Amino acid sequence: MKLIIAVVQDKDSNRLSNALIKSNFRATKLASTGGFLRSGNTTFMIGVEDEKIDEVIGVIKANCKVRDQLVSSVSPVGGTTDSYIPFPIEVQVGGAAVFVLPVDKFEHF
């Protein structure tokens, strides 16, 4: 048995949750915050048998898309660090960070 931990952007969370349910996979959803953009994420914890790992990863891949987003970056004016002006830069967000971990024991009550 394995534990799949998938960190996805909030925009993909409901779509992924519905797809997992439709595919008969049970998951626990946790609210989380990303460190890079400090934006909302959802972390899914999914326990599956070894032979179902590729199927779950396929569901995640199909429902969590990478997209471009403009974010404000702060840059010093005139080379000093006393004054800053924000300017937008484009970064890629979304997709999923997926970890597959071994499970020594699982019990459900």
Side-chain angles (χ1 to χ4, degrees):
M1 178 165 243
K2 302 289 188 217
L3 174 64
I4 298 175
I5 300 173
V7 182
V8 305
Q9 193 176 33
D10 278 345
K11 290 181 180 179
D12 297 324
S13 176
N14 286 336
R15 183 174 47 252
L16 177 57
S17 182
N18 292 335
L20 288 169
I21 291 168
K22 185 177 180 182
S23 299
N24 294 316
F25 293 114
R26 293 168 35 163
T28 298
K29 288 172 53 173
L30 304 169
S32 53
T33 302
F36 175 60
L37 296 176
R38 293 182 178 86
S39 60
N41 292 328
T42 302
T43 299
F44 288 83
M45 296 185 347
I46 310 155
V48 295
E49 299 299 327
D50 290 4
E51 61 272 5
K52 300 278 187 175
I53 293 170
D54 291 336
E55 188 178 347
V56 172
I57 290 175
V59 171
I60 295 168
K61 231 182 237 187
N63 290 281
C64 300
K65 302 296 181 192
V66 174
R67 61 186 70 77
D68 293 329
Q69 177 177 323
L70 287 176
V71 296
S72 291
S73 175
V74 179
S75 174
V77 176
T80 68
T81 56
D82 294 337
S83 342
Y84 286 91
I85 57 166
F87 67 94
I89 59 170
E90 192 171 68
V91 296
Q92 285 191 334
V93 297
V98 179
F99 305 89
V100 179
L101 307 169
V103 174
D104 291 331
K105 183 177 180 179
F106 171 75
E107 293 186 33
H108 187 254
F109 302 101

